[in-house]
């Protein structure tokens, strides 16, 4: 188990890619379950245990998996689908664990001067996650690193778009215009 954590950490540091991740459906299922489970826990800790918040945690993995499958099918790299998706969810899991203290800290700092520091930390983790995803797409689909990072950012925005379209109440009440 320690070897798997070390492997996912190496992926997060962009030292190893999806070609180093074993092709294992049980490992993929475990990575998805743990990553989604951590997302659900994070939603509860952040006070967003509503149905739309939970649905957002479930929509994102589906969109990510479909987009990665389409990309790898287009590039004729289908054998790398399972290792690539495992790398994505393994990295999400580790970076999500780093985000937990920031989620908890956001409750305790309230509107204090420390709030921008917590938000900045969360933004750094989102950027790191996007960079890792771009690296995984780069290595699995054999595309340029800039192209892969643009794809990662596009999928991030696409996930937000789908969630907001399905659950507009997540944006909060619309004020007077």
């Amino acid at each position: 188990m320690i070897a798997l954590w070390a492997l996912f950490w190496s992926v997060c540091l962009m030292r190893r890619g999806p070609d180093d991740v074993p092709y294992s459906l049980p490992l993929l299922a475990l990575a998805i379950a743990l990553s989604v489970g951590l997302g659900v826990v994070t939603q509860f800790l952040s006070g967003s245990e509503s149905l739309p918040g939970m649905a957002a945690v479930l929509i994102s993995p589906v969109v990510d998996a479909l987009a990665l499958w389409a990309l790898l099918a287009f590039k004729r790299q289908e054998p790398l689908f399972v290792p690539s998706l495992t790398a994505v969810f393994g990295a999400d899991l580790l970076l999500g664990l780093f985000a937990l203290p920031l989620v908890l800290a956001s409750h305790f700092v309230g509107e204090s001067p420390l709030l921008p520091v917590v938000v900045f930390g969360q933004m750094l983790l989102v950027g790191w996650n996007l960079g890792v995803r771009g690296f995984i797409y780069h290595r699995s689909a054999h595309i340029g690193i800039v192209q892969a990072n643009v794809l990662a950012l596009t999928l991030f925005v696409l996930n937000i778009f789908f969630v907001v379209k399905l659950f507009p109440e997540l944006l909060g009440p619309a004020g007077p215009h």
Side-chain angles (χ1 to χ4, degrees), residues 69 153 174:
W69 175 82
L153 181 60

Side-chain angles (χ1 to χ4, degrees), residues 150-176:
V150 169
L151 175 63
L153 181 60
T154 302
L155 290 176
F156 177 72
V157 172
L158 188 64
N159 277 320
I160 293 171
F161 173 79
F162 282 138
V163 169
V164 168
K165 280 296 181 187
L166 291 172
F167 304 103
E169 62 271 17
L170 287 175
L171 292 177

Side-chain angles (χ1 to χ4, degrees), residues 41-52:
V41 167
T42 302
Q43 286 291 319
F44 275 112
L45 291 176
S46 67
S48 311
E49 63 272 354
S50 65
L51 175 63

Side-chain angles (χ1 to χ4, degrees), residues 120-143:
F120 182 71
Q122 290 172 332
M123 289 172 50
L124 281 177
L125 281 174
V126 168
W128 187 4
N129 192 316
L130 289 173
V132 169
R133 283 172 177 255
F135 175 74
I136 292 168
Y137 301 155
H138 161 68
R139 294 279 296 264
S140 62
H142 305 290
I143 58 177

Side-chain angles (χ1 to χ4, degrees), residues 47-126:
S48 311
E49 63 272 354
S50 65
L51 175 63
M54 293 301 161
V57 172
L58 299 174
I59 290 170
S60 179
V62 172
V63 171
D64 291 338
L66 288 173
L68 183 59
W69 175 82
L71 173 66
L72 294 177
F74 176 74
K75 297 295 281 186
R76 301 193 187 278
Q77 298 294 327
E78 295 95 340
L80 285 175
F81 175 70
V82 170
S84 298
L85 201 58
T86 304
V88 165
F89 285 108
D92 278 354
L93 176 62
L94 281 181
L95 295 175
L97 289 172
F98 284 136
L100 274 179
L102 294 172
V103 169
L104 291 172
S106 67
H107 287 295
F108 294 114
V109 298
E111 295 295 322
S112 79
L114 290 177
L115 184 60
V117 174
V118 171
V119 171
F120 182 71
Q122 290 172 332
M123 289 172 50
L124 281 177
L125 281 174
V126 168

Side-chain angles (χ1 to χ4, degrees), residues 29-43:
L30 179 64
I32 291 172
L34 290 175
S35 181
V36 170
L38 181 62
V40 169
V41 167
T42 302
Q43 286 291 319

